[in-house]
Amino acid sequence: QQPVQSPQAVILREGEDAVINCSSSKALYSVHWYRQKHGEAPVFLMILLKGGEQKGHEKISASFNEKKQQSSLYLTASQLSYSGTYFCGTVIQGAQKLVFGQGTRLTINP
Amino acid sequence: DSGVTQTPKHLITATGQRVTLRCSPRSGDLSVYWYQQSLDQGLQFLIQYYNGEERAKGNILERFSAQQFPDLHSELNLSSLELGDSALYFCASSAQNHNEQFFGPGTRLTVL
């Protein structure tokens, strides 16, 4: 039931783009994205509901492909502040709980 | 500051002991969630309460229990502690089910 995130880790230079993927084997009701910096609590980025909508948050946006049960998080022109571990969380249709993936560690170098 | 408070910040105890972690949600939030995060691991969902009622259960051990009180604060009780229970325990709250969750700073539990 746990969603699968890829890649597990990525290292970028400042200004480069990144894509983080999240996939589920079950039909999804919603996908949630959070970022956690080292030693801190996770911080909410966005929620996507089924319907294929795309959302944006500054230079961070995400899409939800309902047919493939996949979501992708896009980080454009990455900044040093984007470093951290990104978690996707999924709610399966008919279920109550939000289950997080294992996370993707993003490192942005100057 | 998310508005969610957790106490204590750090807790060091011995195997076999029992501890209680406390969480106060953001003002107005009815849902409280508990997560366990071991070193460099993901967020393992433990349990959710909504307005005093248990709403969803995750991989919570039988040695662990939780409750949400009428004032909406929540407590997570961990008993017969084992070395493997050492982890960061987060509480989060949201206004409704499946909404944006606001995480507290966490309680770091060390079992020696």
Side-chain angles (χ1 to χ4, degrees):
Chain A
Q1 229 178 3
Q2 182 181 40
V4 176
Q5 289 186 233
S6 63
Q8 288 187 320
V10 59
I11 300 174
L12 298 175
R13 286 188 180 274
E14 197 173 6
E16 292 181 336
D17 300 339
V19 180
I20 299 171
N21 300 303
C22 174
S23 64
S24 172
S25 59
K26 304 281 187 181
L28 296 176
Y29 171 76
S30 63
V31 179
H32 304 222
W33 286 97
Y34 286 78
R35 175 172 64 206
Q36 183 179 29
K37 292 185 178 289
H38 185 69
E40 299 180 7
V43 174
F44 171 80
L45 294 176
M46 64 192 77
I47 292 176
L48 300 103
L49 302 177
K50 63 176 184 177
E53 63 180 294
Q54 184 154 348
K55 283 197 171 183
H57 177 75
E58 298 177 342
K59 292 183 181 177
I60 301 175
S61 61
S63 63
F64 179 16
N65 187 321
E66 186 183 346
K67 289 183 181 177
K68 292 186 177 180
Q69 309 308 325
Q70 291 177 350
S71 177
S72 294
L73 186 71
Y74 307 94
L75 298 103
T76 306
S78 58
Q79 306 168 13
L80 295 177
S81 62
Y82 287 1
S83 290
T85 299
Y86 289 77
F87 291 99
C88 76
T90 55
V91 178
I92 295 171
Q93 287 186 32
Q96 294 289 337
K97 56 187 180 183
L98 176 66
V99 180
F100 284 96
Q102 281 300 101
T104 296
R105 181 170 293 183
L106 176 66
T107 303
I108 310 294
N109 292 320
Chain B
D1 184 1
S2 66
V4 179
T5 60
Q6 289 187 248
T7 56
K9 194 170 183 178
H10 300 278
L11 197 50
I12 301 175
T13 188
T15 54
Q17 295 298 305
R18 173 190 169 93
V19 297
T20 297
L21 313 183
R22 182 187 169 99
C23 168
S24 292
R26 285 190 327 154
S27 177
D29 283 358
L30 299 178
S31 276
V32 169
Y33 311 78
W34 285 99
Y35 294 91
Q36 180 192 57
Q37 186 173 42
S38 301
L39 191 64
D40 291 331
Q41 294 295 309
L43 293 156
Q44 297 297 317
F45 169 71
L46 295 177
I47 198 163
Q48 177 202 354
Y49 279 84
Y50 179 82
N51 202 21
E53 301 278 333
E54 183 183 303
R55 176 62 66 96
K57 223 169 186 177
N59 300 323
I60 187 166
L61 300 172
E62 284 191 12
R63 301 183 285 108
F64 295 0
S65 65
Q67 54 183 327
Q68 186 178 28
F69 294 87
D71 66 353
L72 300 179
H73 91 271
S74 178
E75 292 181 357
L76 179 67
N77 300 295
L78 314 176
S79 61
S80 302
L81 285 168
E82 302 175 0
L83 295 177
D85 297 328
S86 295
L88 194 52
Y89 290 84
F90 285 109
C91 164
S93 75
S94 69
Q96 299 289 336
N97 201 26
H98 300 328
N99 272 19
E100 169 184 359
Q101 293 185 24
F102 295 86
F103 281 75
T107 292
R108 183 169 295 282
L109 173 67
T110 303
V111 182
L112 301 175

